[in-house]
């Protein structure tokens, strides 16, 4: 375990994006951050700056107007990054399938790593998803390091 | 020197996206442009599907006032079918609505406190709110979206044991709310920060026709529960709560005082439950026909549903006018002329719910 990996495992920073959806899952995510479920005891910190974030939590079927903004946010996040789709409407379009104002699901716009279904999701499910996301984050980190090493060898 | 600042759409103060384009001169905001529609999904179109699935859809317009949405839809739909809902179902609807107002107002006050940097009290508000959600979970099986209303009644009954539990909960919550109130009202810092900021005069409030706590904070005594009683509100006594000043403090204090009003209404409703027959659902014989509207007082103000049926299972049109949609025009004149540091704070005291505004 490298030192970066260790640090990340102890303290992943999340970026909370609402891209449509009702507020049901939003509120559950807020519940996660507050005393009852308190994810901050695992070191999870809700950041406002995409440039500091490791995990992006998206809620809602991405609306047509928000599509551009969300890709923008995604591009600003440093590598490695993980995208989490929280709520049925983010995973598949859910109840909004057939409405005209959205793209359908998050994976039409961004590559999604973790799906957390449920309408509305329970905070326990979000925490489970976060734990899964952390493993993926470390895997990605390892892969990037290996690529770097291979490249360095090739050059030498 | 004039500068243009983009405020939003992704901004830490709001959980949801709106965008304000601010023209600033030094510290002061000279001009504002409001842009919404970031979360417009077009859900009204979806309602033309099956009137029985309507309550389920109506809850997904906004997750904070979900029961009010579905109640309002059900009231309109029942009017088009001439359906008389049983008394027990009506009482249960009232109780759930008031519980929801409690959770929404505690949330709103918490978020306001967070906007001025009072993280600790924000956390305490949310802890109190969790106990309301626990009761929701015991009664309806869900924490946020309840799926409790259907056209013709409600899906789950409240038995005598649950009623007992609820009245215990009322006592407990009242104590917690009194603690919170004491902390807020007696705090010199909060008062200094909130008083005299974002003043909406009574004339402005009447001109813009704002609704809910925003209007009541500006001395406009308008409450649909009082003006046009629906479900149980003609039997239960409700007086609109007003504050005179019209600033951020007044708007927040209206919400704080409404906590106790809601608890009081639940207390009045619980004894009505025993002795009422156990029938909670009436099956309709007719199909929706003609046009009707219904309005309820959602936590954020008056909520309006218009519904037109064509004597078949599908509906012709459903139109929603949400409470925050009525309040949104008030943001612009208040933000004009204020400090840049107050912009986020003033909008948060409006309790914006963008899911509702854009639908
Ligand atoms: S999954 Fe359901 S509860 Fe969550 S945001 Fe979407 S519609 Fe709302």
């Amino acid at each position: 375990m490298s030192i970066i990996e260790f640090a990340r495992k102890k303290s992943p920073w999340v970026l909370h994006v609402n891209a449509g959806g009702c507020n049901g899952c939003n509120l559950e995510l807020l519940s996660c951050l507050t005393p009852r479920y308190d994810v901050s005891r695992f070191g999870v910190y809700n950041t406002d700056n995409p440039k500091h974030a490791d995990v992006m939590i998206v809620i809602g079927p991405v609306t047509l107007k928000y599509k551009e903004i969300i890709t923008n946010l995604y591009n600003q996040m440093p590598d490695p990054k993980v995208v989490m789709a929280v709520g049925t409407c983010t995973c598949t379009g859910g109840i909004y399938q057939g409405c005209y104002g959205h793209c359908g699901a998050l994976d039409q716009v961004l590559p999604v790593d973790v799906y957390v279904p449920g309408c509305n999701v329970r905070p326990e499910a979000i925490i489970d998803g976060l734990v899964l996301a952390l493993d993926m984050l470390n895997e990605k980190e390892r892969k990037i390091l290996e690529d770097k090493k291979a490249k360095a060898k090739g050059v030498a | 020197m004039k500068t243009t600042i983009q405020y939003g759409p992704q901004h830490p103060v709001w959980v949801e996206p709106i965008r304000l384009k601010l023209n600033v001169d030094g510290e002061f905001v000279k001009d504002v442009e409001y842009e919404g529609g970031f979360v417009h999904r077009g859900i009204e179109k979806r309602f033309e599907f099956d009137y029985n699935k309507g309550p389920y859809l109506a809850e997904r317009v906004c997750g904070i006032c979900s029961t009010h949405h579905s109640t309002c839809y059900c009231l309109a739909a029942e009017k088009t079918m001439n359906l008389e809902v049983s008394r027990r179902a009506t009482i249960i609807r009232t109780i759930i609505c008031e519980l929801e107002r409690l959770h929404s107002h505690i949330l709103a006050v918490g978020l306001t406190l967070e906007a001025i940097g009072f993280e600790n009290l924000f956390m305490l508000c949310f802890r109190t709110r969790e106990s309301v959600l626990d009761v929701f979970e015991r009664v309806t099986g869900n924490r946020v979206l309840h799926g409790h209303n259907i056209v013709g009644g409600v899906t789950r009954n409240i038995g005598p044991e649950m009623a007992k539990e609820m009245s215990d909960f009322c006592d407990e919550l009242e104590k917690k709310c009194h603690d919170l109130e004491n902390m807020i009202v007696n705090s010199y810092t909060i008062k200094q920060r909130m008083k005299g900021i974002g003043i909406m005069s009574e004339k402005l409030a009447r001109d813009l026709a704002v609704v809910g706590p925003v209007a009541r904070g500006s001395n406009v005594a308008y409450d649909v529960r009082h003006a046009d009683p629906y479900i149980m509100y003609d039997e239960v006594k409700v007086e609109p709560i007003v504050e005179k000043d019209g600033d951020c403090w007044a708007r927040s204090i209206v919400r704080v005082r409404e906590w106790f009003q809601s608890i009081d209404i639940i207390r009045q409703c619980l004894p009505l439950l025993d002795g009422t027959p156990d029938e909670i659902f009436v099956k309709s014989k007719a199909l929706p026909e003609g046009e009707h509207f219904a309005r309820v007082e959602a936590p954020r103000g008056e909520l309006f549903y218009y519904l037109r049926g064509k004597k078949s299972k599908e509906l012709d049109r459903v139109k929603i006018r949400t409470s925050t949609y009525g309040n949104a025009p008030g943001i612009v004149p208040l933000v004009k002329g204020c400090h840049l540091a107050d912009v986020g704070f003033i909008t948060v005291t409006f309790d914006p719910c963008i899911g509702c505004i854009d639908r």
Side-chain angles (χ1 to χ4, degrees), chain B residues 219-275:
Chain B
N219 206 11
V220 181
Y222 177 67
D223 190 324
V224 184
R225 290 176 292 170
H226 177 75
D228 175 20
Y230 52 101
I231 39 183
M232 280 308 278
Y233 291 115
D234 38 4
E235 269 180 57
V236 176
K237 283 277 149 297
V238 193
E239 281 301 318
I241 287 172
V242 283
E243 287 280 330
K244 287 208 175 54
D245 300 338
D247 49 6
C248 292
W249 172 256
R251 287 194 278 279
S252 302
I253 286 300
V254 167
R255 295 207 179 93
V256 169
R257 282 170 61 197
E258 280 185 3
W259 294 346
F260 303 105
Q261 191 190 33
S262 290
I263 294 176
D264 190 43
I265 293 174
I266 297 174
R267 279 216 184 105
Q268 289 179 46
C269 281
L270 286 175
L272 300 177
L273 273 177
D274 26 88

Side-chain angles (χ1 to χ4, degrees), chain A residues 18 20-26 28 59-61 86-91 93-96 116-121, chain B residues 41 56 59-63 144-145:
Chain A
N18 179 9
C22 71
N23 278 322
C25 297
N26 249 326
E28 293 299 48
I59 286 161
V86 170
T88 305
C89 65
T90 328
C91 298
I95 192 88
Y96 302 119
V116 186
C119 184
N120 50 356
V121 285
Chain B
R41 312 160 293 239
Y56 190 77
E59 284 194 339
R60 265 78 181 173
V61 174
C62 159
V144 177
L145 302 173

